Amino acid sequence: MAKGTKYVSKVPDEHGFIEWSTEENLIWQELFTRQIACIKDKACDEYHEGLAKLNLPTDRIPQLDEVSKVLKVSTGWECYPVPALIGFGEFFRLLSEKKFPVATFIRSREEMDYLQEPDIFHEIFGHCPLLTNSSFANYTEAYGKMGLNATKEQRVFLARLYWFTIEFGLLDTPKGLRIYGGGVLSSPGETDYAMNNTDVDRKPFDILDVLRTPYRIDIMQPIYYMLTKVSDLDEIRKFEVDDIMELVAQAEALGLHEAKFPVKKAS
């Protein structure tokens, strides 16, 4: 949902099949092999359980139908192919319909370590394992419904809720710090940074705090919010849409917290 991208998504054929090149499959294999080793003792148990259910191929990019079959049985979700960039309205609508948007392109070799826009590796490896978990899946659906009728201004605040849970959420568990956010789970640099950097601020999750916390997509995160387990998302989901919008109004009235990063000057 960035302003522009150099990537073009592949269009599935009439059977939903996407033809991937040898090089694209090789990139998937290298990303998968590297990241599975990186998150071994860092991803949360719920993620590992979901990854085992999906049984993703390691040597090629999976077809969306392969992943959807498991998701449908587990939680009723499916993968839905989208262009590299989609608008907020379409994004919220798909989530509300239990369709997880997957941009059908994979990053270039020049951007193996960092990519601003979400590619198929980020979406499938980072997010889909947890979409087999009912708490995560139900929260993601509820989030879509929250944003469906929100104003443009309200959606800016709601974006922070998604960012600090689904994308960059951490867990403070009895076993220690664990990751459940797909933006961390699909990035070796962010995985190490989120778990080990001593300058990072890791705070207990507070929804009003989250709504007031600015972020940037093009840097390592200076702040992460922690739940204790993935099922804590059920408590956030229980908020009625009106309750969430009341919290958004409170956040707007109180103003944003001071940014913990250099603010980009408008060009």
Side-chain angles (χ1 to χ4, degrees):
M1 303 210 287
K3 288 184 179 177
T5 178
K6 66 180 182 180
Y7 292 101
V8 178
S9 289
K10 291 173 177 278
V11 179
D13 67 16
E14 66 271 23
H15 305 294
F17 185 85
I18 297 172
E19 191 73 49
W20 297 99
S21 70
T22 301
E23 171 67 3
E24 287 167 328
N25 282 322
L26 194 58
I27 287 172
W28 170 277
Q29 182 178 7
E30 290 179 25
L31 288 168
F32 191 103
T33 303
R34 179 176 69 170
Q35 194 59 11
I36 202 74
C38 186
I39 64 168
K40 183 181 176 185
D41 300 316
K42 300 178 180 74
C44 63
D45 291 344
E46 296 93 335
Y47 174 86
H48 283 300
E49 288 161 11
L51 193 61
K53 283 181 187 176
L54 290 183
N55 192 26
L56 298 172
T58 60
D59 61 341
R60 63 172 174 83
I61 300 171
Q63 295 297 322
L64 298 190
D65 280 352
E66 294 177 272
V67 182
S68 291
K69 280 178 186 174
V70 181
L71 295 182
K72 283 177 183 175
V73 171
S74 301
T75 56
W77 276 75
E78 63 182 293
C79 294
Y80 190 85
V82 297
L85 298 173
I86 60 173
F88 274 117
E90 177 75 349
F91 178 70
F92 286 120
R93 183 185 67 78
L94 288 172
L95 294 185
S96 74
E97 296 173 357
K98 301 172 84 165
K99 296 173 180 175
F100 195 71
V102 177
T104 47
F105 73 91
I106 195 160
R107 69 195 68 184
S108 66
R109 198 164 285 283
E110 292 73 39
E111 294 190 290
M112 290 284 274
D113 291 334
Y114 179 74
L115 187 70
Q116 278 197 35
E117 56 266 61
D119 70 345
I120 195 166
F121 180 76
H122 167 86
E123 302 291 25
I124 289 183
F125 185 91
H127 291 302
C128 286
L130 274 166
L131 280 171
T132 66
N133 176 280
S134 59
S135 294
F136 187 89
N138 292 339
Y139 170 75
T140 307
E141 178 190 5
Y143 179 82
K145 290 176 178 175
M146 283 177 209
L148 212 49
N149 298 310
T151 65
K152 183 180 177 181
E153 292 73 24
Q154 288 169 331
R155 285 175 174 178
V156 173
F157 283 87
L158 289 178
R160 299 185 184 107
L161 186 57
Y162 191 90
W163 187 261
F164 288 111
T165 55
I166 291 171
E167 288 294 353
F168 286 91
L170 299 181
L171 302 180
D172 185 12
T173 80
K175 296 179 182 177
L177 197 61
R178 294 292 184 270
I179 305 162
Y180 76 95
V184 187
L185 289 166
S186 59
S187 164
E190 193 90 33
T191 295
D192 179 65
Y193 187 85
M195 293 289 286
N196 301 316
N197 191 283
T198 54
D199 294 328
V200 164
D201 194 2
R202 301 173 186 87
K203 299 178 68 173
F205 187 90
D206 177 275
I207 191 166
L208 189 57
D209 252 356
V210 166
L211 293 171
R212 297 177 63 201
T213 301
Y215 66 87
R216 268 176 53 182
I217 67 170
D218 59 340
I219 58 171
M220 294 290 188
Q221 300 307 302
I223 184 169
Y224 299 89
Y225 284 94
M226 303 180 297
L227 301 174
T228 60
K229 54 191 180 301
V230 171
S231 59
D232 289 349
L233 291 170
D234 293 334
E235 297 306 311
I236 308 170
R237 180 174 55 84
K238 286 174 185 174
F239 279 100
E240 297 290 335
V241 171
D242 288 347
D243 296 334
I244 290 290
M245 292 313 168
E246 174 57 33
L247 285 166
V248 166
Q250 284 183 43
E252 201 166 9
L254 289 166
L256 297 184
H257 293 308
E258 187 178 349
K260 292 180 176 289
F261 49 78
V263 178
K264 279 184 172 179
K265 290 182 180 178
S267 54

